[in-house]
Amino acid sequence: MTVLRAIEQKIEGLFEGVFGRAFRAHVQPVELARKLAKEMDDHRTVSVSRVYVPNEYTVYLATGDRDQFEGYEEALIGELQDYLAQHARREEYELLSPPTVSMETDDDLSIGEFGIATRMVQRERRTPEPGEPTSQPQPGETMIYRPEPEPAPVPVPEPEPEAMPEVPPAMLRAGAAEYPMERGRLVIGRSRDCDVRLADPNVSRQHAEIRQEGSSFFVVDLGSTNGIEVNGRRAKRARLEDGDTILLGSTELVFERP
């Protein structure tokens, strides 16, 4: 586990304990720590052989945010300073002195917003090393951080209606020949005008008809000489089911409806 992650977990543990009860809807200590480290990274000064970073950090909070941890501020500041020191060592930054963090109240900020101002301060009277930056008289520009807006809910697409499987049409089978019910009716007989033409002398010119009525199918005798049989029974009109046999003269037909 990296040092940075260990410090983050330490701060997160502090947040989940004492501070968690106060900060759930406000500024979170973990977010303060990460933004302080970002400000350190953003305000680097590169000298001949070293990279200097600010050692003084002022955090500005809305009154409501700061009031939430009154009585715990000193402990939080200590954690944040340790976090910055560890971050500087990890990134091999140079500090003019150990980092300090202070907190101020800014009534112009809203709940959840906070600002950070940084400064390089030479606290000890000594001869600066070559390339070492001098103290800044005033903190730099305050960077304001606002809570990120909650992402808009992603609309869940409504499931597309399942396509109804295409029902194969009913079909009449005469030996190896197949006659699909494409127009809702099939006329059977010896005439050339019939949809199903049978070369059977016992079949009338227009012997019978298969017709669709709604979702059902019927065979109807068209006044033939020898009549029709459905499943071995004579009938003038009969409702058909899948696999029923129709006898016209000496020719047997099979009705199929998957």
Side-chain angles (χ1 to χ4, degrees), residues 59-64 66 104-110 113 115 142 144:
V59 177
Y60 296 92
L61 294 163
T63 302
R66 193 173 182 190
E104 300 289 344
T105 301
D106 188 339
D107 293 331
D108 291 334
L109 295 173
S110 301
E113 297 180 348
T142 302
I144 303 298

Side-chain angles (χ1 to χ4, degrees), residues 69-88:
F69 56 87
E70 184 179 0
Y72 313 106
E73 186 174 301
E74 185 176 349
L76 176 58
I77 287 176
E79 294 291 341
L80 295 175
Q81 290 175 164
D82 290 344
Y83 184 88
L84 287 173
Q86 294 285 359
H87 183 68

Side-chain angles (χ1 to χ4, degrees), residues 102 106 121 175 184 196:
S102 62
D106 188 339
V121 181
V196 182

Side-chain angles (χ1 to χ4, degrees), residues 21 102 139 218 243 248:
R21 292 187 294 272
S102 62
F218 295 83
L248 279 68

